[in-house]
């Protein structure tokens, strides 16, 4: 289902949790709209803190999207995106848990999803919540959005992607201010730095994220997949661009899209 910007969005409200291969989701709401998947972190009483159960259920979400690729819109229930990882669980984790990269493995999987991902952020996105937002391709925020990584204050570090994603998103200097000096970015600053693509009023972020997904869906799925793969690959890769373009030049989809463009212009 495609949702135009001027179309009422009432039918896009998040559906109740649905059952999956591992049973009913308890920490998320999941809504497959056909052309996109909408997922909300759903522990509002705990500011959507990311616990082990949520990690497992987000792996299930990734498995579903990997089997049937489509854009993902990720948000949080209530006033906040995610206030961080569950501190009680973190306190109990051991060296072996750290070496397993429990949160990092999931967030890297989210980042590797074939088609673009859009995070709709309101309120706090702290610690692991911020790192989950960093793993998405595009972020839309409300004026209440706040991003921060206070992990060193708890005796740990931001080990779920912030150290290698945040510098490319906001620059090394600002990343060090956040990761070493506890700086929290408000929505306007995050917009100026490019961490947010757009800032909207509270309550409008999910609609705004749907508009972004609408634009994404107007493009060729294969072109999007190849573009995202090349963008996320380390180093320079001019020859990979040529190979990807060669593949796309031979597709029927490219011919049909260009024919439609030329006929419309004529």
């Amino acid at each position: 289902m495609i949702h135009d910007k001027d179309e009422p969005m009432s039918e896009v409200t998040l559906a109740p949790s649905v059952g999956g291969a591992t049973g009913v989701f308890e920490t998320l709401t999941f809504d497959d709209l056909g052309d996109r998947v909408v997922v909300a972190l759903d522990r509002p009483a705990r500011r959507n803190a990311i616990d082990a159960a949520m990690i497992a259920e987000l792996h299930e979400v990734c498995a579903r999207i990997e089997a049937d690729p489509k854009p993902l819109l990720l948000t949080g229930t209530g006033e906040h995106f995610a206030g961080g990882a569950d501190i009680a669980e973190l306190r109990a984790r051991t060296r072996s848990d750290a070496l397993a990269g429990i949160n990092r493995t999931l967030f890297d999987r989210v980042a590797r999803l074939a088609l673009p991902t859009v995070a709709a952020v309101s309120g706090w996105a702290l610690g692991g919540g911020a790192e989950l937002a960093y793993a998405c391709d595009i972020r839309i925020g409300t004026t209440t959005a706040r991003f921060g990584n206070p992990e060193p204050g708890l005796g740990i570090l931001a080990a779920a992607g912030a150290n290698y994603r945040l510098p490319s998103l906001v620059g090394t200097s600002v990343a060090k201010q956040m990761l070493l000096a506890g700086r929290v970015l408000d929505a306007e600053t995050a917009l100026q730095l490019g961490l947010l693509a757009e800032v909207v009023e509270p309550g409008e972020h999910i609609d705004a994220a749907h508009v972004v997904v609408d634009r994404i869906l107007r493009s060729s799925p294969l072109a999007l997949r190849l573009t995202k793969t090349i963008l996320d690959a380390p180093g320079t890769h001019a020859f990979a661009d040529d190979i990807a373009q060669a593949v796309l030049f031979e597709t029927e989809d490219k011919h049909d899209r260009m024919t439609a463009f030329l006929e419309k212009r004529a």
Side-chain angles (χ1 to χ4, degrees):
M1 180 186 305
I2 301 292
H3 302 284
D4 293 327
K5 185 173 183 179
D6 296 329
E7 180 183 348
M9 297 295 293
S10 57
E11 72 259 35
V12 191
T13 53
L14 299 179
S17 301
V18 297
T22 58
V24 175
F25 289 133
E26 296 181 351
T27 70
L28 310 171
T29 65
F30 178 97
D31 197 0
D32 187 336
L33 299 181
D35 62 356
R36 71 196 76 186
V37 168
V38 180
V39 171
L41 312 180
D42 192 24
R43 299 182 72 209
R46 300 293 302 275
R47 293 185 177 178
N48 300 322
I50 300 171
D51 64 357
M54 185 180 288
I55 292 289
E57 292 184 351
L58 284 170
H59 273 298
E60 170 64 17
V61 167
C62 287
R64 294 187 187 195
I65 296 174
E66 289 161 354
D68 182 17
K70 59 190 66 177
L72 167 66
L73 193 166
L74 181 64
T75 191
T77 298
E79 297 180 5
H80 302 284
F81 181 74
D86 190 293
I87 302 302
E89 285 192 358
L90 281 181
R91 185 177 62 178
R93 285 185 183 175
T94 66
R95 176 175 54 192
S96 296
D97 294 320
L99 292 174
I102 295 170
N103 290 17
R104 178 195 56 77
T105 300
L106 169 69
F107 299 167
D108 286 352
R109 189 175 185 182
V110 170
R112 289 194 304 269
L113 290 174
L115 290 174
T117 55
V118 180
V121 179
S122 65
W124 292 113
L126 297 177
E131 291 177 296
L132 179 55
Y134 303 156
C136 293
D137 297 306
I138 298 168
R139 286 154 296 279
I140 302 295
T142 70
T143 55
T144 67
R146 300 291 185 271
F147 296 88
N149 289 96
E151 285 90 343
L154 295 170
I156 59 174
L157 58 83
N163 286 315
Y164 51 88
R165 288 197 179 95
L166 195 54
S168 66
L169 292 171
V170 299
T172 301
S173 177
V174 174
K176 286 185 175 182
Q177 294 170 43
M178 297 175 68
L179 295 169
L180 301 178
R183 182 180 180 185
V184 174
L185 300 185
D186 61 23
E188 187 59 34
T189 304
L191 178 66
Q192 293 172 0
L193 292 169
L195 182 61
L196 288 175
E198 183 181 358
V199 174
V200 298
E201 291 301 313
E204 297 179 2
H205 55 307
I206 297 177
D207 286 4
H210 274 292
V211 172
V212 174
V213 176
D214 290 342
R215 293 202 304 267
I216 289 168
L217 288 168
R218 296 186 187 113
S219 295
S220 157
L222 181 57
L224 290 171
R225 293 182 70 165
L226 292 175
T227 299
K228 180 174 175 177
T229 298
I230 292 172
L231 274 172
D232 288 342
T236 57
H237 31 63
F239 192 63
D241 288 23
D242 294 342
I243 294 174
Q245 192 75 299
V247 171
L248 292 168
F249 273 8
E250 297 298 319
T251 63
E252 184 177 352
D253 188 37
K254 168 254 188 180
H255 182 272
D256 291 346
R257 286 172 178 271
M258 291 190 176
T259 298
F261 174 85
L262 293 171
E263 290 177 348
K264 182 178 179 180
R265 187 174 67 177

